[in-house]
Amino acid sequence: MIELRELTKRYGDKTAVDRLTFSVRPGIVTGFLGPNGAGKSTTMRMMLGLDKPTSGDVRINGKRYDQLRDPLQYIGALLEAKAVHGGRTAYNHLLCMAQSNNVPKKRIDAVLDLVGLKEVAKKRPKGFSLGMGQRLGIAAALLGDPKILMFDEPVNGLDPEGIHWIRNLMKHLASEGRTVFVSSHLMSEMSLTAEHLVVIGRGKLLADTSMADFIAENSRTFVRVRTPEPERMRDVLASVGIRPVFEQDGAMQVEGMAPAQIGEMAAWYRVVLHELSPQKASLEEAFMQLTAGSVEYHAHEQGPTPDGRNGQAGRRRR
Amino acid sequence: MPHTTRVLRSEWTKIRSVRSTLWTLATALTVTVGLSALICAFTASQFDKLTKQEQLTFDAVQTSFSGSGLGQLAMIAFGVMVVAGEYSTGMIRSSLAAVPQRTVFLLSKVFVAGTLVLVVGMATSFLAFFIGQALLGERSVSIEDEGVLRAVLGGGVYMTLIALFAMGLSFVLRSPLLAFAILMPFFFLISNILGTVEATKKYAQYLPDQAGKTVTAVVPESLNRPYGPYEGLAIMVAWTLAALIAGWIVLKQRDA
């Protein structure tokens, strides 16, 4: 169990993490979601005692990280930035960590085998690919057989095979009753692995909810209508009290009517339709809407978005 | 096994498992011994050409340790790599996640590296002395002569202190590039220049390397300092402690 209470980190007058309060519960995968620059990595570094909070604190099983004796036996972490000396062999890297934390030597071979690095145990990580480096980081996290595991953007830069492997590993670790806390900026990634979601934006807590609730609340269905006469179609819809949302290319999103009803109405008023298709908004879109106001670095959109929402929210990303 | 013992073993594993340890320490030894031997051989052959004053204040022990000016740079490199290497590679995050008790971490690292450097430093000092004296021939002194053993042991201690000073400063600077850029020119050039120029001489003699050197001198007139060998060593120890304490404060305060 990890508990954050009013956790805050300021750099000068910039607040990177703003009074975060939430708990990470055991036995499930908790996704830690937020746009780039939302403060995920800073939060995770504070959880590990690497960065000092400006105020508030983090407790791991009721203790501060630096009060843990042999912390690697409680909590293992894969951080986003590499944390390995390129000139020290994979085996020796794990050995020095095992020695300081009273981990038996046979665990080193076990974790190297588990992550598939047995063959390169005596090699220096300088020559490792991104995926191999990530695997070594995971081996280090698993070394002390900890009950809590933390992964910061574990799939970043991995090939599909590596991504698949990490997803299954996280699920497997949670099924063994471990606490898994994993950060990502991709909703689609989280929806595949996480049972619980913690969403932050600009360092603030935006949501702390189960994945099932998040999906139920946020999956929006609508009908996409494309017509050469958008003005007339809008008036037709307005006559029954429906206000369509325009997409960037002029297509309309209509909520609250079935495709059949819309088609019949269009036929009645003799409006030509080019497209009439039922759509389901992606979770990615729901996530973007949730964090829209808190995205650190916006790309400039081409032209205004007619619906007045954040431009990125109207885009389809899969 | 107590916690500190485990952290010490871990630090030993770290030090012995990177190549830079071997090559910096081997360089420190060979450069110091080799260059000292060369200078001793040269001095022996040219002794008659020295001025009367130079002959009177000739220090055979100091001369057999004259390569240390260059050899100490490799010791500094060792100290920088052991500490700043953790930061440049990102290893520091793994290290502090494994040992969040930062004071224990620093003391263990300093102790392990310091012990290793002391062993290598002593070997360097004794080798340089015996080879140098053999080459100096009739100008040589015996290890049993007054102050000689102190000077030779002092040579090993000097090497250790200079490496520890570099470690302390590296904990402050956290970047190998920055640490090298400051320490190398300082100990190779700046300190010597300040020690030679008349205007800065009386201040420069309190710099760590210049003060520390007095412990390797047997003929006090050769250096002409207002303090003795042990006081000189104490000044260098004070510098080293100051650097390590500064490093400790930075390590305690700053984010990793």
Side-chain angles (χ1 to χ4, degrees):
Chain A
M1 181 83 151
I2 314 174
E3 291 155 291
L4 285 75
R5 202 169 43 82
E6 296 280 302
L7 193 68
T8 303
K9 180 74 178 178
R10 278 191 213 97
Y11 298 104
D13 55 357
K14 192 178 175 297
T15 305
V17 175
D18 197 355
R19 283 172 291 133
L20 273 189
T21 301
F22 66 86
S23 313
V24 183
R25 281 174 297 146
I28 56 167
V29 178
T30 298
F32 189 33
L33 208 58
N36 289 330
K40 301 187 296 290
S41 294
T42 307
T43 304
M44 287 177 128
R45 282 200 306 272
M46 285 194 281
M47 291 165 111
L48 289 176
L50 295 175
D51 288 9
K52 210 172 274 173
T54 309
S55 60
D57 70 354
V58 183
R59 301 273 157 168
I60 292 145
N61 297 337
K63 286 181 177 171
R64 263 198 350 251
Y65 191 87
D66 65 358
Q67 292 170 332
L68 297 173
R69 190 53 70 87
D70 301 327
L72 299 186
Q73 298 198 17
Y74 290 89
I75 177 165
L78 168 77
L79 291 174
E80 194 178 13
K82 74 178 176 71
V84 175
H85 191 300
R88 185 177 289 120
T89 66
Y91 182 89
N92 280 329
H93 173 67
L94 296 175
L95 176 63
C96 70
M97 294 181 81
Q99 283 173 329
S100 61
N101 277 260
N102 216 11
V103 175
K105 269 189 187 173
K106 61 177 193 295
R107 271 297 290 172
I108 300 171
D109 296 315
V111 292
L112 280 170
D113 197 27
L114 181 68
V115 301
L117 289 181
K118 214 173 183 177
E119 263 76 73
V120 293
K122 304 283 179 208
K123 293 253 158 56
R124 294 166 203 279
K126 223 179 302 189
F128 282 12
S129 68
L130 198 59
M132 284 161 83
Q134 205 79 325
R135 282 166 192 261
L136 179 57
I138 290 169
L142 297 173
L143 187 64
D145 200 11
K147 281 275 173 290
I148 306 172
L149 284 148
M150 224 158 77
F151 300 108
D152 194 3
E153 303 269 3
V155 302
N156 256 11
L158 290 190
D159 56 11
E161 193 263 329
I163 293 175
H164 185 72
W165 177 76
I166 286 193
R167 275 183 202 149
N168 286 338
L169 177 74
M170 287 192 292
K171 282 184 189 163
H172 174 72
L173 291 167
S175 75
E176 290 176 331
R178 296 178 214 259
T179 307
V180 181
F181 187 58
V182 52
S183 81
S184 178
H185 62 279
L186 297 173
M187 183 68 212
S188 52
E189 184 55 42
M190 286 297 92
S191 63
L192 290 169
T193 41
E195 263 181 76
H196 195 86
L197 268 187
V198 173
V199 184
I200 66 167
R202 285 204 180 158
K204 284 196 175 70
L205 188 69
L206 297 177
D208 182 0
T209 166
S210 77
M211 183 58 91
D213 286 350
F214 185 84
I215 291 172
E217 277 168 32
N218 291 292
S219 50
R220 187 172 66 95
T221 57
F222 62 90
V223 180
R224 174 170 296 131
V225 178
R226 216 179 282 275
T227 164
E229 303 164 284
E231 299 299 313
R232 276 195 63 215
M233 189 65 202
R234 190 178 59 190
D235 294 341
V236 167
L237 288 167
S239 70
V240 291
I242 285 180
R243 288 173 52 85
V245 171
F246 281 88
E247 290 180 7
Q248 284 205 346
D249 58 359
M252 288 179 243
Q253 294 184 1
V254 181
E255 273 181 80
M257 273 182 102
Q261 290 175 287
I262 299 170
E264 280 165 20
M265 254 176 80
W268 179 262
Y269 288 102
R270 300 185 146 268
V271 179
V272 176
L273 294 188
H274 288 169
E275 182 185 348
L276 181 67
S277 59
Q279 301 282 334
K280 211 173 158 80
S282 67
L283 282 174
E284 200 72 40
E285 197 175 353
F287 164 60
M288 280 179 191
Q289 249 176 304
L290 182 62
T291 58
S294 61
V295 176
E296 186 83 338
Y297 307 103
H298 277 295
H300 281 288
E301 296 293 334
Q302 297 297 310
T305 40
D307 57 27
R309 290 181 308 168
N310 181 283
Q312 279 183 310
R315 291 267 188 78
R316 190 89 340 155
R317 288 214 189 137
R318 267 282 158 187
Chain B
M1 208 193 299
H3 185 238
T4 313
T5 317
R6 286 192 261 121
V7 179
L8 286 170
R9 281 185 54 176
S10 161
E11 286 302 323
W12 171 240
T13 300
K14 278 192 207 168
I15 283 189
R16 67 167 179 77
S17 61
V18 288
R19 283 175 179 152
S20 60
T21 301
L22 181 68
W23 69 252
T24 48
L25 295 180
T27 306
L29 190 141
T30 45
V31 168
T32 305
V33 174
L35 192 62
S36 300
L38 223 71
I39 293 170
C40 284
F42 183 75
T43 309
S45 69
Q46 303 290 311
F47 196 80
D48 296 334
K49 292 181 188 152
L50 294 177
T51 64
K52 202 85 198 137
Q53 179 66 19
E54 282 169 329
Q55 287 185 0
L56 276 172
T57 61
F58 176 71
D59 190 331
V61 184
Q62 184 87 297
T63 308
S64 69
F65 211 54
S66 47
S68 69
L70 202 60
Q72 68 177 355
L73 299 184
M75 279 296 186
I76 292 168
F78 169 78
V80 169
M81 303 285 256
V82 163
V83 175
E86 289 247 1
Y87 287 93
S88 63
T89 59
M91 180 68 196
I92 189 72
R93 286 185 287 269
S94 294
S95 296
L96 291 181
V99 185
Q101 297 79 14
R102 296 189 181 188
T103 307
V104 176
F105 168 72
L106 180 135
L107 289 177
S108 302
K109 191 178 267 308
V110 168
F111 181 81
V112 171
T115 308
L116 179 61
V117 167
L118 184 65
V119 171
V120 177
M122 284 299 172
T124 306
S125 189
F126 276 91
L127 266 174
F129 173 77
F130 285 116
I131 293 173
Q133 298 313 309
L135 291 166
L136 281 171
E138 58 185 50
R139 312 287 170 201
S140 69
V141 293
S142 156
I143 190 93
E144 283 154 16
D145 291 351
E146 202 199 329
V148 174
L149 184 61
R150 179 262 301 156
V152 179
L153 288 172
V157 174
Y158 174 89
M159 288 291 227
T160 311
L161 290 174
I162 204 93
L164 292 179
F165 180 81
M167 286 180 74
L169 212 68
S170 297
F171 268 114
V172 176
L173 299 171
R174 316 196 328 162
S175 143
L177 216 64
L178 203 59
F180 278 126
I182 290 175
L183 288 167
M184 291 298 176
F186 182 82
F187 285 113
F188 189 58
L189 289 172
I190 298 168
S191 168
N192 289 324
I193 294 169
L194 294 177
T196 316
V197 173
E198 214 46 57
T200 51
K201 213 173 183 173
K202 61 174 185 268
Y203 306 108
Q205 63 190 357
Y206 295 103
L207 290 173
D209 56 332
Q210 308 235 353
K213 244 175 231 162
T214 49
V215 82
T216 61
V218 178
V219 183
E221 291 77 20
S222 67
L223 286 172
N224 200 15
R225 295 276 155 82
Y227 48 78
Y230 292 110
E231 288 83 1
L233 189 66
I235 293 169
M236 192 182 185
V237 168
W239 276 101
T240 307
L241 281 177
L244 287 170
I245 290 168
W248 174 72
I249 291 169
V250 171
L251 180 69
K252 286 291 268 187
Q253 297 298 322
R254 285 189 61 178
D255 292 340

